[in-house]
Amino acid sequence: MVGLTSAAGLVGFLAEPDPQVQTYALARLNEDIDTLWTEVAPSISQIEALYEDESFPQRELAALVASKVYYQLGEYNESMVFALGAGKLFDLDHPGEFEDTIVAKCVDTYIALSSLFNPPKPASSVTQELNQLTTSFPSGTNGEKTNIAAGLSSPTTPFSQSSLPSKSLLSRQDSSAFDPSLPGGGNAGVPGAHPSPLALNRNTQKALQAVISRLFEACYRAGAYRQVVGIAVEARNLAVLREAIVRSSEDGKGAGKKPAAIRDKSEDLMDYLLDICMNVVQERGLRNEILQLILDLLNQIPNPDYFAIAKCVVYLNEYSMASNMLRQLVEQGNANARAIAYQLSFDLYDNGTQEFLSKVMDELPEAEEKKEEKPQMNGSAHHDRPEPTESDRLLSEVENRQDSTTSLPISRTKQRSISDDERKVYDSVRHILRGTKSIELNLEFLYRNNKADRNILNKVRDSLEARNSIFHVATTVAQAFSNAGTTNDSFFRDNLEWLGKAVNWSKFTATAALGVLHKGNIGQGQKLLEPYLPKDSTVAGSTYSQGGALYALGLIYSNHGTHVLDYLRDQFNRATDEVVQHGGALGLGVAAMATGSEELFDNLKSTLYTDSAVSGEAVGLAMGLVMLGSGNEKAKIVRGCALGIAVTMLGRQESADKLIQGLLDDAQPALRYSGVCTLALAYCGTGSNKAVRKLLHAAVSDVSDDVRRMAVMSLGFILFRKPSAVPRIVELLSESYNPHVRYGAAMCLGLAAAGTGLEEAIDILEPMTKDSQDFVRQGAFLASALIMVQQNEAQNPKAGTIRKTLQKVVSDRHEEAMTKWGASVSLGILDAGGRNCTISLQTQTGNLNMNGIVSALIFTQYWYWFPFTLFLSGAMTPTAIIGVDQDLEVPSFKFYSATRPSVFGYPPEQEVKTSEEPEKVKTAVLSTTAQAKRRKQAKERQARKGSMDIDHTPTTPKPTDDDKMDVDEDTQRPTKEDKGEEAIADSKTEGGDKEGTPNPEGTSKKKAEKEKVGYELENMSRVLPAQLKYISFPEERYRPVKKPTGGVILLTDSKPSEAKSLLEMRSKKASTPAAPATGVTQQSGEAISTSATGTGGAIAGAGVLTAVDEDDDGEEAEVPREFDYQSDNEGEE
């Protein structure tokens, strides 16, 4: 049939009284409405009248035509309403542009209405506790209303439009709490946002539900469960979410032929839901509900995914459920269940706090004689405060928790008798949960794979004047970072003269650096630092080295201070010197991180009231570290301690809104600074639009440079899970007129993109390394090092250039001191942990890294206090795959990486010429003298030639220094030794070295043969996070119990009866030598004899660092004698 060219006649038929004529007109118009809608639009009222006429037999057809006309007019709401009235005529099975648009509009409306009937719940009971924190803040004209609204709900990012204003109903405020003045509150003024609420009659709502149901069924048939899950999460409809997960599981059971593939698909759906729940959903109340739903569903499955459950229980602080899972796995008694229990314990340790883990261990069966040790772990942490919600950092507080009821059957279960085998397994589980096993394995990995470049450290040492305390600290920090956790302190042993130049606080930092070097050496840590620690004897010692030793002890036992808390507390309480108190407080805070111990808090609080400027700063920070993430209301005592307040709110999100707003509105810059830090940690890793808006507002409007700098820097903490979005946000800020804002933009990029090698971030930082301000250049170098850690030129071509630039800056005598400090520390960061550690703010399983986040924040405070720089070691995470069998032993086996070896290989070490010595200055020779010598030599040759009959073999005369101007050095013949060196150099450059000559075709073929794709790696080898997706385990005997995520991986042994080959634990062979008495220096021979142990540097440096400084003896200098001046005349008389 030929298409219509005009709709005038058909439009006229609509006015006819005969229904058949009207039906015919509507049917013809429906076929060609895309071309005739302009003529039909003026008569749209007639079509609507036909739809509203209940006696008209083709009402649905009239609704469909009206819907298409409104669609062409751009009135999508009206178009959707009439499309829903069209019933089955609105065909979803043959989608087109019109159908897709209406379906999208239906989904948006469904989300709007569903969210309206499922409003966000008010903040949990924790919010009511936190409301007391703001009682001392004055309420502004409209600030109080804003704070209440902010505390009740949180704007979030839409799943598909993270860079645009939110249209998602997840970000919609509750109608009772809507306030247009609130930044990010409500969407009434946002173009394209849904009207709230959308007025729909009951029939239209039923039709909408029918369309959505048909859409869901189509997704189920196609296996597109993710779409249903995404809509259900945005709509806050947990019933649909439950149905999608159940249907996915049922389809897997009914498949029959391909159960493995369907099972993988079901697991992928659960992983997808966990991912969007942890990384996309920003409202903590909804996240808790979804995680609770996941837990309920997983527990109903016969073979649940224990590792997915572990993520949920840690976030929800369900320590009872964690202990129940471990108990069930142990009671199964088979080797596979035992391996899963061990792997689950490793995951819990990586993601849980000290208090959470201690509660899990308390509910596990154990021997009676071991129970006495438990209260000493965290003081009165879990006896004085029965509420489990004060433990967690990320971890939310579920108000309807029923832990008290679940603990009753647990206590009865403890009376059950267990076998000896189960008792051994429980002991091993407890060994893992305490962290001892993980620390031991990581220490062994770093010890045996240390690839730190000593040549770089030597160059830094030689380039910087050691008597300048800034440069001495820079060298100390650089060598500490490059050997972090490796126990290699030989740099101290080999540079005792340099070490002896440390005085006062540089001596404090040098001693504390031992804690970074021996981080995790919990078996020998206290023995190692014994020469430096305070003693009861009257032997004099430097208070700076004593305070640094206490700080170092805390760094060694970072977040694992079970064995040293009592010692550190006693030393802190007995200390009378401010420096020792300062170091003791820092060590106590690091070791007791997130324990929530009220006893430690009170001890620190009493010292805070002494009004000491030196110890007060460290004490305020330590109080926050002890109460990390607890939201404890006693934090108002340390209101003046910005970092102390901030770290207590880690991961609290909406619960901290009222406190944050009160701090940001305060007139004092110190409290606004605290508010910015609190905002950064409360919304850390969430990508919250609301938090980003507040920080950007402070970055461009605050009158304090410190607040503006920290506000820009804090963007990195909030957006580190979306590093690619950060360069766009800070690109303009990096060009600000204010140097503090430029510095903050540089550090923001470094923190957000740490370890990623993000090229867009490097492109922004590159011009900042030439900034006119020295501290901006310093920040650019540090940020570049954070981003490029563990990167080689195969991954990022600029890796080698950045290293050369840093070395050039360090050796440049005309460079500013602060810039050289930043470049020196950056060189240490690039080689972090012997080039085996990355900087990470999240764990290898995807949760927030509590220790890493807090350590990175405190590291940024080096701006005020250099010893805080060492805190960055807490964010250094070993990148390895460490396979462990069911007996927790490390077998010798190989796994496969499907990449070229050079892609993820170690960066090449700096080449240092062995003959690099100061060249002798050549004596200047006049050209006339050289010419005279040449003439004389020519005459002698002619005389010899004429007097002899035998021809000698011609030889090329060796040019002398005098002939330098006439003869090129390149024409000289190389000696045999030179030839050998050139051959070695040529062999090194056969692979196409950048600095070598172009290679022939044969050489390139040889290189191609060497660089085959795929190679084997030994157990305990370095594996970068980006390399994990290429890792496989082809060996038949050892198979991992879960998909490798890095770190410790449990292996199941398919041949347990056969003998197994184990890796030698080299770090255990290194025993700490006996510590000498304070003030006694070891002989050089003794120092050398301890080099194999890795602790010789600490012992050798004890005599140097513990010596009392000349200006540290507390005595005043003598008044100089009178000076008698005699003139020349008087002397002659």
Side-chain angles (χ1 to χ4, degrees), residues 82 186 275 297 347 368 447 542 576 611 622 754 805 911 913 995 1077 1081:
F82 283 104
D275 180 62
L297 293 175
D347 290 350
E368 293 293 333
Y447 182 86
S542 173
T576 57
D611 291 334
T805 302
E911 295 183 1
K913 297 179 181 179
E995 300 176 358
T1081 306

Side-chain angles (χ1 to χ4, degrees), residues 54 67 73 227 308 316 349 355 435 493 516 597 601 606 616 673 701 732 785 812 841 874 901 954 992 1071 1114:
E54 297 183 358
S67 174
L73 292 172
Q227 284 82 342
L316 295 174
Y349 170 74
E355 187 174 5
R493 182 189 67 243
V516 178
S597 173
F601 188 91
S606 60
Y673 187 94
S701 64
L732 291 178
D812 188 357
L841 302 186
S1071 58

Side-chain angles (χ1 to χ4, degrees), residues 375 777 1065:
R777 299 196 299 273
M1065 296 291 103

Side-chain angles (χ1 to χ4, degrees), residues 941-991:
R941 284 196 298 270
Q942 290 178 0
R944 287 196 301 269
K945 184 176 181 181
S947 62
M948 298 182 67
D949 297 330
I950 301 174
D951 292 335
H952 295 278
T953 304
T955 58
T956 303
K958 185 177 180 181
T960 62
D961 293 344
D962 301 332
D963 297 334
K964 196 81 169 183
M965 299 174 63
D966 298 331
V967 182
D968 242 356
E969 288 182 354
D970 295 339
T971 61
Q972 299 179 16
R973 282 190 180 182
T975 61
K976 292 183 178 180
E977 295 178 359
D978 295 335
K979 287 182 179 180
E981 291 177 1
E982 287 180 3
I984 295 173
D986 291 340
S987 65
K988 288 184 178 179
T989 57
E990 279 180 355

